[in-house]
């Protein structure tokens, strides 16, 4: 089988296609013939050497796939053979074949292409955990979605609409029309102006009840300031530090330096809450994650979950796929097809 290997820290030239022996499923596992694999911002950060959770290099990245069940290990339900599925993978997803525990697969909704199905797990589970679970977004509340035009951002917008929240989103200006068409109430250009001042103007100085922030560093401080009383801040990334080589390392140091400290007395007196999310650290909570996935897939059937694939790149153009995301060209998801 062919796999996408991140051979070292560096630019897109470190990404190579390599041949490896086909894997075989062990007890409780299934073998999936991959039709599409999700590309995530974490894969870019891992290549840049800025993602502490990445496996040691050389490594195969990839948290999610869609495909067909081609083999079964001992003790697995025989009716799964040949089924179209979507699966979470603990790395290694960017391969022609993957082996996963049968608890990590979910039936692919017929209405979705394989590319669309591969766009679901990471983006929608992250957004669901941030908004519906930890952020507890209520009808009529206001939410600020940073990077609203990205994969997680668009997923968060679908979920916020479903929860009848008022939606504000930051994004590059070229993405605003698309975001409005998807139902975003207020698009904020955060590349050319102070987004906090713009948000406060739009909310008559009140702010919002929930901010989800993958930018990190000094943005977390501003996002906290954007909270109305009873507001919550969900922190889940440091995309602001993304860059190759020394610039990335310096970006990380700058982000760490600008990261705010939240004191319990400050939270208490201001009626604010802060939380963090790392989906990749929830493997020991499979039942919870599986339940969220069931709600999301039900949402596909009911029409309120609408995964948007911007572009599908063949495996051998993985470098171009990384470059596309790094240049902020994508609106929604980028997937890789074997
Ligand atoms: N903690 C978790 O469990 C978890 C799970 C999934 C994702 N994440 C994080 O969430 C963030 C978004 O992920 P995603 O998969 O939605 O990514 P994505 O689809 O690539 O979207 C990211 C968007 O962020 C903006 N951006 C901000 N800084 C950027 C930079 N330095 N380089 C490139 N783009 C930048 C761009 O939008 P504009 O053009 O509008 O600026 C870009 O389109 C990432 O930080 C990722 O690590 C965390």
């Amino acid at each position: 089988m062919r796999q996408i290997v991140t051979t070292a820290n560096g630019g897109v030239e470190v990404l190579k296609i390599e041949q490896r022996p086909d894997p075989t499923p062990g007890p409780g596992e299934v073998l999936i013939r991959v039709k599409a694999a999700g590309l995530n911002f974490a894969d870019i950060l891992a290549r840049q050497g800025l993602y502490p959770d990445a496996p040691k290099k050389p490594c195969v990245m990839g948290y999610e796939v869609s495909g067909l069940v081609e083999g079964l290990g001992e003790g697995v339900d025989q009716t799964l053979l040949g089924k179209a599925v979507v699966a979470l993978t603990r790395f290694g997803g960017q391969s022609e074949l993957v082996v996963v525990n049968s608890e990590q697969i979910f039936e692919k909704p017929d209405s979705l292409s394989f590319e669309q199905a591969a766009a679901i797990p990471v983006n929608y589970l992250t957004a669901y955990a941030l908004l519906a679970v930890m952020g507890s977004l209520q009808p009529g509340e206001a939410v600020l979605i940073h990077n609203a035009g990205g994969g997680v951002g668009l997923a968060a917008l679908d979920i916020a609409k479903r929860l009848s929240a008022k939606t504000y989103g930051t994004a590059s200006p070229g993405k605003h029309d698309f975001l409005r068409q998807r139902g975003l109430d207020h698009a904020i250009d955060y590349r050319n102006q102070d987004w906090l001042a713009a948000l406060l103007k739009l909310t008559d100085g009140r702010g919002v009840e929930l901010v989800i922030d993958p930018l990190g560093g000094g943005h977390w401080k501003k996002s906290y300031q954007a909270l109305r009383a009873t507001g919550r801040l969900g922190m889940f990334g440091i995309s602001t530090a993304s860059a190759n080589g020394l610039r990335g390392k310096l970006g990380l140091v700058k982000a760490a330096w600008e990261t705010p400290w939240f004191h319990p007395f400050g939270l208490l007196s201001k009626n604010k809450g802060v939380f963090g999310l790392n989906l990749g650290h929830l493997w020991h909570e499979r039942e919870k994650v599986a339940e969220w996935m069931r709600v999301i897939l039900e949402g596909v059937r009911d029409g309120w979950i609408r995964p948007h694939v911007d572009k599908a790149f063949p495996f051998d153009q993985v470098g171009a796929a990384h470059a596309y995301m790094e240049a902020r060209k994508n609106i929604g998801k980028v997937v890789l097809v074997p």
Side-chain angles (χ1 to χ4, degrees):
M1 64 161 173
R2 287 155 67 243
Q3 294 190 305
I4 296 172
V5 181
T6 307
T7 55
N9 294 341
V12 297
E13 68 285 351
V14 303
L15 300 164
K16 307 269 188 249
I17 306 291
E18 290 183 6
Q19 288 282 350
R20 298 272 165 85
D22 289 0
T24 35
E29 293 178 334
V30 298
L31 175 72
I32 300 171
R33 167 78 48 188
V34 174
K35 297 284 187 184
L39 183 63
N40 285 292
F41 209 82
D43 306 329
I44 312 273
L45 293 173
R47 197 206 73 228
Q48 293 170 335
L50 301 177
Y51 188 56
D53 287 350
K56 216 166 144 290
K57 293 174 181 93
C59 64
V60 179
M61 296 298 292
Y63 275 125
E64 58 198 345
V65 299
S66 63
L68 295 169
V69 176
E70 198 172 277
L72 304 174
E74 205 186 300
V76 177
D77 177 2
Q78 296 290 315
T79 64
L80 288 174
L81 202 59
K83 281 248 155 62
V85 294
V86 51
L88 286 156
T89 51
R90 197 170 193 172
F91 305 113
Q94 291 162 11
S95 310
E96 280 180 331
L97 292 168
V98 298
V99 163
V100 295
N101 190 293
S102 61
E103 288 173 5
Q104 285 161 234
I105 63 170
F106 303 85
E107 202 166 328
K108 180 182 87 61
D110 290 339
S111 61
L112 298 185
S113 66
F114 282 104
E115 283 89 350
Q116 288 170 318
I120 289 205
V122 172
N123 288 171
Y124 279 91
L125 285 169
T126 302
Y128 189 81
L130 286 164
L131 266 59
V133 181
M134 298 184 79
S136 187
L137 189 61
Q138 303 296 309
E141 285 192 330
V143 58
L144 173 66
I145 301 165
H146 279 303
N147 294 173
V152 176
L154 283 188
L157 183 56
D158 277 354
I159 294 165
K161 302 298 297 174
R162 172 69 174 180
L163 295 171
S164 306
K166 195 162 187 182
T167 51
Y168 298 80
T170 61
S172 294
K175 298 175 182 174
H176 288 196
D177 280 348
F178 181 87
L179 285 165
R180 284 191 203 98
Q181 280 164 27
R182 292 280 291 200
L184 183 71
D185 297 317
H186 299 280
I188 299 171
D189 173 8
Y190 74 139
R191 306 284 306 278
N192 303 298
Q193 63 171 344
D194 177 356
W195 64 260
L196 178 57
L199 177 79
L200 291 175
K201 195 162 167 213
L202 285 167
T203 58
D204 294 326
R206 281 192 304 270
V208 295
E209 279 90 358
L210 179 63
V211 181
I212 60 164
D213 189 337
L215 293 163
H219 286 279
W220 283 339
K221 188 170 179 187
K222 285 173 72 173
S223 291
Y224 181 76
Q225 288 164 358
L227 294 179
R228 186 177 178 166
T230 76
R232 292 85 64 194
L233 165 62
M235 295 163 287
F236 67 109
I238 46 140
S239 39
T240 188
S242 164
N244 283 318
L246 186 62
R247 219 157 58 80
K249 301 268 182 313
L250 290 175
L252 212 53
V253 171
K254 180 169 181 279
W257 175 253
E258 291 175 352
T259 296
W261 292 93
F262 301 107
H263 196 282
F265 290 157
L267 298 171
L268 189 156
S269 75
K270 290 216 157 29
N271 289 296
K272 292 185 181 185
V274 291
F275 63 90
L277 174 82
N278 187 333
L279 189 68
H281 292 184
L282 283 174
W283 289 100
H284 61 299
E285 292 282 10
R286 277 181 200 200
E287 281 170 25
K288 257 187 209 289
V289 176
E291 181 51 35
W292 303 342
M293 194 68 179
R294 273 189 282 277
V295 175
I296 290 162
L297 293 175
E298 202 54 49
V300 172
R301 283 170 201 118
D302 294 344
W304 57 273
I305 295 281
R306 305 165 296 162
H308 176 75
V309 177
D310 178 303
K311 220 166 149 83
F313 289 85
F315 269 19
D316 55 14
Q317 285 176 28
V318 61
H322 274 232
Y324 190 75
M325 278 179 78
E326 282 177 271
R328 304 172 185 243
K329 286 190 182 148
N330 60 306
I331 300 188
K333 193 76 179 179
V334 171
V335 298
L336 300 164
V337 287

